[in-house]
Amino acid sequence: MTDARAGWLGQSIERVEDAALLTGRGRFIDDLAVRPGTLHAAILRSPHAHAIIKTIDADAARAAPGVAAVLTGAEVTAHSSSLPVGLRANVKCWPIAVDRVRYAGEPVAVIVAADRYQAEDALELIEVDYDPLPAVVDPSESIAGHAPRLHETLESNVVSDRSFRYGDPEQAFESAMHRIAVDVRYPRNACTPIETYGVIAEYDPGENAYDVTSNFMGPFTLHAVMARALNVPGNRLRLRTAPDSGGSFGVKQGVFPYIVLMSLAARMANAPVKWIEDRLEHLAASISATNRVTRLEAAVESDGRITALNYDQIEDVGAHIRAPEPATLYRMQGNMTGAYAIPNVAIRNRIVLTNKTPTGLNRGFGGPQVYFALERLMQRIAVELKLDPLDVIRRNLVPAGAFPYRTASGGLLDSGDYKAALDCAVRKGGLTELQSRRDKARAQGRLYGIGMTAVVEPSISNMGYITAVLTPEERQKAGPKNGAQATATVAVDPSGSITAHVSSAPQGQGHRTVAAQVVANVLGLRPSDIRVVAETDTARDPWSIASGNYSSRFAGAVAGALHLAAKQLRDKLARTAATRLNVKPEDIAFAEGQVMARGNPDNAVAFGRLAATSHWSPGLVPEGGEALRETVFWTPPQLEAPGDGDETNSSLCHGFIFDFCGVEIDPVSGALRIDKYVTMHDCGTVLHPGLVAGQVTGGFAHALGAAIYEEFAYAPDGAFLSGTFADYLVPTAMEVPEPVILHFSTPSPFTPLGAKGVGEGNCMSTPVCIANAVADALGVANVKLPLTPAAIADLLEARGTSS
Amino acid sequence: MKPAPFDYLRATTRAEVHEALDAEGGDAAVMAGGQTLIPLLSMRMARPTVLIDIMHVGELGGISVSDGAIRVGASVRQAALLDWPELATHQPLLAITMPWIGHAQTRSRGTVCGSAALADPSAEIPLTMVTLGGEIELSSSKGTRRVAAEDFFTGLMSTAREDDELIEAVHIPCSAAGTGHAFHEFARRHGDFAIVACAAVADTQGTRLGVGGLGDRAYACDVGTLEGSALDDALTEFANSLDARDDLSASAGYRRTLMRKLGRQTIEEARRCRA
């Protein structure tokens, strides 16, 4: 690992992606050429949140100009199987409504026509006779006995009720000096990428095989789900990613049911079918992050040290328990104690269905929901025990020498020095100065508050974490699931130049740039010498179920695998060089485009020339030294399957974040102004500082949206109220202040380059940091997101106007 | 999000526009900047049989001053009026309110008359016109007429324009010497629709306050020279008279409270401005 810190790594080189993206040359799915005869799909969607479909009359639509085919639930159930769900439940999940609609926006019929205009014209000719049913949108109500049941085959809307016990929480609560609790709700939101879903699907009846291009970004576990639904073995579903994708943030995981739907449409229409989702569809029916109701109680000593936590979580996954749920809940299973050394934990997780959009991956993925509860609790402990909130955090942090640290619920925190990082942030970020700013403001009668939060950001998911929802007995029967395989290939062409491939589908993060740095670093070349392909074609490329971009796995796992592949190639080239230069392979060095004898740079050969030897003169290559293409499948050993006590190491790497902020509230309007926001990140080895700053800033912007502006709102009857961007308010550049970004680094011992993920952290820390600041400003115990001016005005009124 | 089928007429004369309006009436839609109409078409919330594009009718352009008012023709874009060098001289209130209309990008396409035609309850141009007492000039194959702003804006997105009429221009009174102006708007984000917008004009006789965002259209009231608690009472009475709405952004109660506070700030600022 020592060579990882040298050379190109850690430099903010210009991104290779940008020249094309900034001049309109991106190749997004809608830009791709399609075969002549490709038809276009439009989807008729349910206007009701919950209703029986009595009849669908599509005769007029079928006869409309340009229409080639119409699909409804009948056709879909006839030619496919239910999408497998993540837990054992007697319920089916289809990509279209079958007999019943369960959320506003659920697909009811698909029209395939010559163009999208005609397809939408034909949609209006479909007559659906609905019998509306009462709907339920609040998870607490859905749990109650009298709530309308969404699926007849299930006994209730609670599809899972699992409890976990780690250590001895009962004993800790019994002997605790204090018991302090919070009841919180985390609202629904999603990251709304600027480019929506896109699918181009083809069916070959001769081979009974599907060929699909989409801006899907993984995880490729869903490939198995899609293939099973389409009733084909995996090798008859070729899935290809588009070269460019306009943002995903996890959301484009949710295109998979539409891939199934459009594949069936192509089959029925006997022609390739293209579908580009529009914004109205995306807001209502792509995915949403889960909303969650949590009661979190702590057993606390008088000095603020927590000895036990008791979580009661009610997770709302929407109308269907659709894959990969309940991943949002279980992704954090190993991290329920956050940054703190708390040995006793009890958890009750109930997963409930409501008449809302089915949920899925969204930046932060389970972290925002957990940390909102945990970090609100930390502030409440300080307030109720009259302690300094910073001291309460510090006192509970995992101590420096304890890493790798095993959390109570089985997570393995790879590296960190939390106290030192916190102290660094306090010092460099100016917490003391901010506190005196607060004091001055308050002396003037202004409403000013400070919030702070410590967060452990997990990255590189253990594909087995989801099996924590099963009991140990069920896991035994199903067989172990674990790991996080990353795949990378480095290849040499006849001119001696290098191409790298990663099983990745980036959406603007700059992966091709970092990949070029990583490979150039190993081979002694410049990043511009390396061409990187970051697209996945399941028929041609090496891939695994873990392939894709999610859980911030690129820097740690994918770049790490690439580093190993480059090293393998280098070692083989070294053997050929050794023969040629008449030295030992260990004495070969790669630098500045040359391959040379260490200590005698004149004894050298140009890299390109040497590299091409395996093509042009394979006879000169010593046995085992054929260096044409090296593929590495890397899987870290720490990601074991959950144990018999449900201990789950849900992620490989753990970054540390400490944030604090000062906010002021306008008493006239209730508007929130962020005076200063400091965010300190330890993400291990930094491969490209500019990209890291970009990730932090982007996460911060998304989190600001979640904290202050965004909520997917539903009426009590399930009507979807956030149908356009005029209702769902995404912060613009004018609303997002510049955060002060600080760094700390404890490299991970578990990844080849020591890098950890960094993309999701602020989604976990910023909402609760701001909430804590508002609670501090107003002196209130309960704050609900989003903190709209009207919501804050209500808080102001409730507490009276005296400060 | 593709529109339902429609015909498109690119008119080059006023007569062509009148002819099409006579023929199609309520099934036609006049398009100027299209900043609201095109999204409505795409979402199929508007389905005109014919779209009459008036932006190529030369006679409908121009900004001029006559009879103590600024006349803004139908095809004048918001950005063009904002860029007009004499705007701040002739009507400072317009110069203050217009930068709050949407975003620079939408102002470069949207028109002043188009905003009057749309009659959004929180829009700045209707609010300015109701506060200042402007007029809307309408034409049809039958002739022309003028309607006072107070009578033109009849309700939520509704105006006194008949189906066969074209908005020719809006007339906005020039400000008199010694008049103070102020404007405050509260919105969730930069460029968003106002939750509450307050415009005030103060002269020797008294102060007039216009409010947008609190009812189905902009409303104005005269507070004379009231001050202190008498002013607060007048503002409370005014706020309570308005049929404020509950929506995702804010409750009616919140809007009223904000209007009373913001209205007062705006009035006081306009009065200070007079000096």
Side-chain angles (χ1 to χ4, degrees), chain A residues 661-677:
Chain A
C661 68
V663 308
E664 181 164 6
I665 293 168
D666 181 326
V668 171
S669 64
L672 189 58
R673 181 184 69 88
I674 296 177
D675 187 38
K676 181 171 183 180
Y677 195 102

PDB file of all heavy atoms in Angstrom, chain A residues 661-677:
ATOM      1  N   CYS A 661     -22.706  23.791  12.950  1.00  0.00           N
ATOM      2  CA  CYS A 661     -23.210  24.926  12.177  1.00  0.00           C
ATOM      3  C   CYS A 661     -23.889  25.940  13.070  1.00  0.00           C
ATOM      4  O   CYS A 661     -24.353  25.603  14.169  1.00  0.00           O
ATOM      5  CB  CYS A 661     -24.190  24.465  11.103  1.00  0.00           C
ATOM      6  SG  CYS A 661     -25.747  23.829  11.746  1.00  0.00           S
ATOM      7  N   GLY A 662     -23.930  27.158  12.582  1.00  0.00           N
ATOM      8  CA  GLY A 662     -24.672  28.228  13.247  1.00  0.00           C
ATOM      9  C   GLY A 662     -25.786  28.672  12.324  1.00  0.00           C
ATOM     10  O   GLY A 662     -25.534  28.891  11.144  1.00  0.00           O
ATOM     11  N   VAL A 663     -27.009  28.765  12.857  1.00  0.00           N
ATOM     12  CA  VAL A 663     -28.136  29.204  12.035  1.00  0.00           C
ATOM     13  C   VAL A 663     -28.870  30.342  12.736  1.00  0.00           C
ATOM     14  O   VAL A 663     -28.848  30.455  13.960  1.00  0.00           O
ATOM     15  CB  VAL A 663     -29.144  28.054  11.748  1.00  0.00           C
ATOM     16  CG1 VAL A 663     -28.439  26.837  11.191  1.00  0.00           C
ATOM     17  CG2 VAL A 663     -29.977  27.713  12.962  1.00  0.00           C
ATOM     18  N   GLU A 664     -29.516  31.160  11.922  1.00  0.00           N
ATOM     19  CA  GLU A 664     -30.341  32.232  12.476  1.00  0.00           C
ATOM     20  C   GLU A 664     -31.732  32.134  11.879  1.00  0.00           C
ATOM     21  O   GLU A 664     -31.887  31.803  10.701  1.00  0.00           O
ATOM     22  CB  GLU A 664     -29.728  33.598  12.181  1.00  0.00           C
ATOM     23  CG  GLU A 664     -30.556  34.730  12.773  1.00  0.00           C
ATOM     24  CD  GLU A 664     -29.823  36.055  12.851  1.00  0.00           C
ATOM     25  OE1 GLU A 664     -28.692  36.141  12.333  1.00  0.00           O
ATOM     26  OE2 GLU A 664     -30.400  37.003  13.426  1.00  0.00           O
ATOM     27  N   ILE A 665     -32.733  32.419  12.713  1.00  0.00           N
ATOM     28  CA  ILE A 665     -34.121  32.329  12.277  1.00  0.00           C
ATOM     29  C   ILE A 665     -34.728  33.716  12.231  1.00  0.00           C
ATOM     30  O   ILE A 665     -34.625  34.485  13.192  1.00  0.00           O
ATOM     31  CB  ILE A 665     -34.913  31.422  13.238  1.00  0.00           C
ATOM     32  CG1 ILE A 665     -34.395  29.992  13.094  1.00  0.00           C
ATOM     33  CG2 ILE A 665     -36.414  31.486  12.951  1.00  0.00           C
ATOM     34  CD1 ILE A 665     -34.870  29.055  14.156  1.00  0.00           C
ATOM     35  N   ASP A 666     -35.364  34.036  11.110  1.00  0.00           N
ATOM     36  CA  ASP A 666     -36.036  35.319  10.941  1.00  0.00           C
ATOM     37  C   ASP A 666     -37.380  35.250  11.655  1.00  0.00           C
ATOM     38  O   ASP A 666     -38.235  34.447  11.289  1.00  0.00           O
ATOM     39  CB  ASP A 666     -36.220  35.576   9.430  1.00  0.00           C
ATOM     40  CG  ASP A 666     -36.901  36.904   9.146  1.00  0.00           C
ATOM     41  OD1 ASP A 666     -37.761  37.327   9.942  1.00  0.00           O
ATOM     42  OD2 ASP A 666     -36.575  37.516   8.129  1.00  0.00           O
ATOM     43  N   PRO A 667     -37.580  36.071  12.684  1.00  0.00           N
ATOM     44  CA  PRO A 667     -38.828  35.964  13.445  1.00  0.00           C
ATOM     45  C   PRO A 667     -40.065  36.384  12.654  1.00  0.00           C
ATOM     46  O   PRO A 667     -41.171  35.997  12.990  1.00  0.00           O
ATOM     47  CB  PRO A 667     -38.606  36.905  14.637  1.00  0.00           C
ATOM     48  CG  PRO A 667     -37.521  37.832  14.211  1.00  0.00           C
ATOM     49  CD  PRO A 667     -36.684  37.110  13.209  1.00  0.00           C
ATOM     50  N   VAL A 668     -39.851  37.169  11.591  1.00  0.00           N
ATOM     51  CA  VAL A 668     -41.008  37.610  10.796  1.00  0.00           C
ATOM     52  C   VAL A 668     -41.504  36.480   9.900  1.00  0.00           C
ATOM     53  O   VAL A 668     -42.690  36.179   9.853  1.00  0.00           O
ATOM     54  CB  VAL A 668     -40.626  38.842   9.936  1.00  0.00           C
ATOM     55  CG1 VAL A 668     -41.732  39.172   8.949  1.00  0.00           C
ATOM     56  CG2 VAL A 668     -40.329  40.035  10.825  1.00  0.00           C
ATOM     57  N   SER A 669     -40.599  35.840   9.183  1.00  0.00           N
ATOM     58  CA  SER A 669     -41.026  34.848   8.197  1.00  0.00           C
ATOM     59  C   SER A 669     -40.777  33.410   8.628  1.00  0.00           C
ATOM     60  O   SER A 669     -41.295  32.481   8.028  1.00  0.00           O
ATOM     61  CB  SER A 669     -40.282  35.090   6.880  1.00  0.00           C
ATOM     62  OG  SER A 669     -38.897  34.885   7.105  1.00  0.00           O
ATOM     63  N   GLY A 670     -39.935  33.203   9.652  1.00  0.00           N
ATOM     64  CA  GLY A 670     -39.561  31.839  10.006  1.00  0.00           C
ATOM     65  C   GLY A 670     -38.472  31.283   9.101  1.00  0.00           C
ATOM     66  O   GLY A 670     -38.086  30.128   9.202  1.00  0.00           O
ATOM     67  N   ALA A 671     -37.964  32.110   8.194  1.00  0.00           N
ATOM     68  CA  ALA A 671     -36.931  31.625   7.272  1.00  0.00           C
ATOM     69  C   ALA A 671     -35.645  31.338   8.028  1.00  0.00           C
ATOM     70  O   ALA A 671     -35.288  32.012   8.994  1.00  0.00           O
ATOM     71  CB  ALA A 671     -36.673  32.657   6.176  1.00  0.00           C
ATOM     72  N   LEU A 672     -34.954  30.313   7.547  1.00  0.00           N
ATOM     73  CA  LEU A 672     -33.729  29.846   8.169  1.00  0.00           C
ATOM     74  C   LEU A 672     -32.539  30.350   7.371  1.00  0.00           C
ATOM     75  O   LEU A 672     -32.523  30.219   6.155  1.00  0.00           O
ATOM     76  CB  LEU A 672     -33.768  28.313   8.122  1.00  0.00           C
ATOM     77  CG  LEU A 672     -32.743  27.500   8.861  1.00  0.00           C
ATOM     78  CD1 LEU A 672     -32.763  27.844  10.328  1.00  0.00           C
ATOM     79  CD2 LEU A 672     -33.076  26.033   8.689  1.00  0.00           C
ATOM     80  N   ARG A 673     -31.572  30.912   8.035  1.00  0.00           N
ATOM     81  CA  ARG A 673     -30.351  31.321   7.345  1.00  0.00           C
ATOM     82  C   ARG A 673     -29.194  30.562   7.971  1.00  0.00           C
ATOM     83  O   ARG A 673     -29.018  30.580   9.191  1.00  0.00           O
ATOM     84  CB  ARG A 673     -30.143  32.830   7.508  1.00  0.00           C
ATOM     85  CG  ARG A 673     -28.906  33.357   6.799  1.00  0.00           C
ATOM     86  CD  ARG A 673     -28.710  34.855   7.075  1.00  0.00           C
ATOM     87  NE  ARG A 673     -28.351  35.097   8.464  1.00  0.00           N
ATOM     88  CZ  ARG A 673     -27.091  35.087   8.926  1.00  0.00           C
ATOM     89  NH1 ARG A 673     -26.080  34.826   8.120  1.00  0.00           N
ATOM     90  NH2 ARG A 673     -26.861  35.326  10.209  1.00  0.00           N
ATOM     91  N   ILE A 674     -28.408  29.922   7.138  1.00  0.00           N
ATOM     92  CA  ILE A 674     -27.227  29.228   7.665  1.00  0.00           C
ATOM     93  C   ILE A 674     -26.086  30.220   7.704  1.00  0.00           C
ATOM     94  O   ILE A 674     -25.644  30.708   6.666  1.00  0.00           O
ATOM     95  CB  ILE A 674     -26.875  28.008   6.807  1.00  0.00           C
ATOM     96  CG1 ILE A 674     -28.029  27.005   6.891  1.00  0.00           C
ATOM     97  CG2 ILE A 674     -25.573  27.375   7.285  1.00  0.00           C
ATOM     98  CD1 ILE A 674     -27.830  25.783   6.039  1.00  0.00           C
ATOM     99  N   ASP A 675     -25.653  30.543   8.897  1.00  0.00           N
ATOM    100  CA  ASP A 675     -24.609  31.544   9.063  1.00  0.00           C
ATOM    101  C   ASP A 675     -23.247  30.941   8.737  1.00  0.00           C
ATOM    102  O   ASP A 675     -22.417  31.544   8.084  1.00  0.00           O
ATOM    103  CB  ASP A 675     -24.649  32.059  10.509  1.00  0.00           C
ATOM    104  CG  ASP A 675     -23.711  33.225  10.741  1.00  0.00           C
ATOM    105  OD1 ASP A 675     -23.596  34.069   9.825  1.00  0.00           O
ATOM    106  OD2 ASP A 675     -23.093  33.292  11.808  1.00  0.00           O
ATOM    107  N   LYS A 676     -23.026  29.718   9.223  1.00  0.00           N
ATOM    108  CA  LYS A 676     -21.761  29.037   8.942  1.00  0.00           C
ATOM    109  C   LYS A 676     -21.990  27.534   9.065  1.00  0.00           C
ATOM    110  O   LYS A 676     -22.704  27.094   9.974  1.00  0.00           O
ATOM    111  CB  LYS A 676     -20.692  29.481   9.933  1.00  0.00           C
ATOM    112  CG  LYS A 676     -19.320  28.835   9.694  1.00  0.00           C
ATOM    113  CD  LYS A 676     -18.240  29.467  10.573  1.00  0.00           C
ATOM    114  CE  LYS A 676     -16.880  28.861  10.262  1.00  0.00           C
ATOM    115  NZ  LYS A 676     -15.812  29.427  11.083  1.00  0.00           N
ATOM    116  N   TYR A 677     -21.393  26.772   8.141  1.00  0.00           N
ATOM    117  CA  TYR A 677     -21.511  25.320   8.230  1.00  0.00           C
ATOM    118  C   TYR A 677     -20.134  24.709   8.043  1.00  0.00           C
ATOM    119  O   TYR A 677     -19.514  24.889   7.010  1.00  0.00           O
ATOM    120  CB  TYR A 677     -22.477  24.771   7.172  1.00  0.00           C
ATOM    121  CG  TYR A 677     -22.894  23.354   7.478  1.00  0.00           C
ATOM    122  CD1 TYR A 677     -24.136  23.068   8.047  1.00  0.00           C
ATOM    123  CD2 TYR A 677     -22.012  22.287   7.245  1.00  0.00           C
ATOM    124  CE1 TYR A 677     -24.494  21.770   8.372  1.00  0.00           C
ATOM    125  CE2 TYR A 677     -22.360  20.999   7.582  1.00  0.00           C
ATOM    126  CZ  TYR A 677     -23.602  20.744   8.138  1.00  0.00           C
ATOM    127  OH  TYR A 677     -23.958  19.467   8.479  1.00  0.00           O
TER     128      TYR A 677
END
